Amino acid sequence: MAQTTPNHTQTVSGWAAHDSSGKITPFIFKRRENGINDVTIEVLYCGICHTDLHHVRNDWGITMYPVVPGHEITGVITKVGSNVKEFKVGDRVGVGCLAATCLECDFCKDSQENYCDQVQFTYNGIFWDGSITYGGYSKMLVADHRYVVHIPANLPLDATAPLLCAGVTVFSPMKDHNLHQAPGKKIGVVGLGGLGHVAVKFGKAFGHHVTVISTSPSKEKEAKERLGADDFLVSTDAQQLKLKLLMMLTERHEDA
């Protein structure tokens, strides 16, 4: 049994893996009481990230069983701590990968908490109180409010859940390169297997020409008709890639 503390008094139902077989089964466990910096969330939706599968199967050799996966969490707040001013009962919120960081280092102060030396995760991590964290494959979650985000009323909670991991993963480099404020660029998205879907939608929403590069010719229809991609390249087709490269070089020469 994963470590808990005397403060873990709330009985919660969820789903957990108990070994590396890849199976998850119903699981009853304990969560901590809502602290002064915490919010309690009724979990309504939780996306399935491939990281969840890696942890369930212990592919990385770091899983602490039993593990309750899930870090693409959306739901509604049911309780707030006395120090919490940014949230109230009834707010629609989301929780991503992070459960705790030091909040004092340069990375934390620059909104780059994921680089903190003391970062701990929403599941399979060690929280400040020494307990092992359990994720969103459960009925409710207690989270430090500093790692919780508001979900706008116009976003459906089910479709928003994957944005808490897959969405952030592809949005971050786009933001770092100012693609969210500088339309008209040409973006290549390598792979259409989850993150790629979100990347195409972001790229088009930001006003760019988006080309999907995939090993699967069968995904062209989905890329263009469902997601709005402008072009589609099969990465195993050397002739197609050569022609595309020649076209790009020609366009660049003409622009010069």
Side-chain angles (χ1 to χ4, degrees):
M1 183 67 178
Q3 182 182 355
T4 60
T5 75
N7 192 41
H8 284 64
T9 60
Q10 301 192 82
T11 301
V12 184
S13 61
W15 292 79
H18 296 267
D19 54 44
S20 60
S21 66
K23 296 180 181 179
I24 62 171
T25 56
F27 179 52
I28 304 298
F29 60 101
K30 298 287 188 179
R31 290 205 188 274
R32 69 182 186 273
E33 286 294 320
N34 197 91
I36 59 174
N37 291 312
D38 293 331
V39 296
T40 297
I41 301 168
E42 178 188 3
V43 177
L44 298 179
Y45 299 96
C46 185
I48 299 175
C49 175
H50 206 277
T51 299
D52 301 341
L53 305 183
H54 285 307
H55 275 94
V56 165
R57 297 188 298 234
N58 198 23
D59 289 340
W60 298 328
I62 59 173
T63 302
M64 297 178 284
Y65 292 109
V67 61
V68 177
H71 58 206
E72 298 178 344
I73 304 162
T74 57
V76 176
I77 289 181
T78 59
K79 190 173 183 178
V80 297
S82 58
N83 284 352
V84 179
K85 308 302 180 185
E86 298 86 355
F87 298 97
K88 64 182 185 302
V89 172
D91 280 354
R92 294 153 38 96
V93 294
V95 176
C97 302
L98 304 188
T101 63
C102 76
L103 296 174
E104 298 293 334
C105 68
D106 290 341
F107 288 123
C108 285
K109 292 179 180 179
D110 193 35
S111 297
Q112 298 186 72
E113 294 92 339
N114 52 305
Y115 292 116
C116 176
D117 287 341
Q118 299 180 45
V119 63
Q120 294 296 337
F121 298 104
T122 300
Y123 68 85
N124 203 61
I126 307 295
F127 196 62
W128 287 316
D129 62 7
S131 64
I132 294 175
T133 57
Y134 289 129
Y137 290 13
S138 60
K139 292 288 188 180
M140 59 85 79
L141 177 75
V142 179
D144 188 298
H145 77 281
R146 290 164 290 193
Y147 304 91
V148 179
V149 296
H150 285 281
I151 304 296
N154 63 337
L155 292 181
L157 291 178
D158 55 346
T160 298
L163 298 181
L164 276 301
C165 180
V168 171
T169 301
V170 296
F171 175 75
S172 181
M174 290 187 179
K175 183 176 183 295
D176 287 345
H177 291 278
N178 201 39
L179 295 179
H180 64 307
Q181 294 180 331
K185 302 290 193 302
K186 291 187 176 181
I187 299 175
V189 175
V190 180
L192 197 68
L195 273 70
H197 288 72
V198 184
V200 173
K201 297 185 76 171
F202 274 147
K204 292 305 299 178
F206 297 153
H208 301 294
H209 183 284
V210 179
T211 298
V212 172
I213 304 167
S214 174
T215 60
S216 305
S218 61
K219 292 184 178 181
E220 180 171 4
K221 182 176 181 180
E222 180 176 13
K224 289 183 175 180
E225 296 182 10
R226 294 191 61 189
L227 301 176
D230 300 286
D231 284 322
F232 186 91
L233 290 176
V234 179
S235 59
T236 54
D237 187 332
Q239 184 63 24
Q240 187 184 57
L241 292 177
K242 182 178 179 180
L243 289 173
K244 184 63 176 178
L245 178 60
L246 288 173
M247 289 174 59
M248 292 173 62
L249 292 174
T250 300
E251 291 175 358
R252 184 173 297 180
H253 177 74
E254 291 175 350
D255 291 341

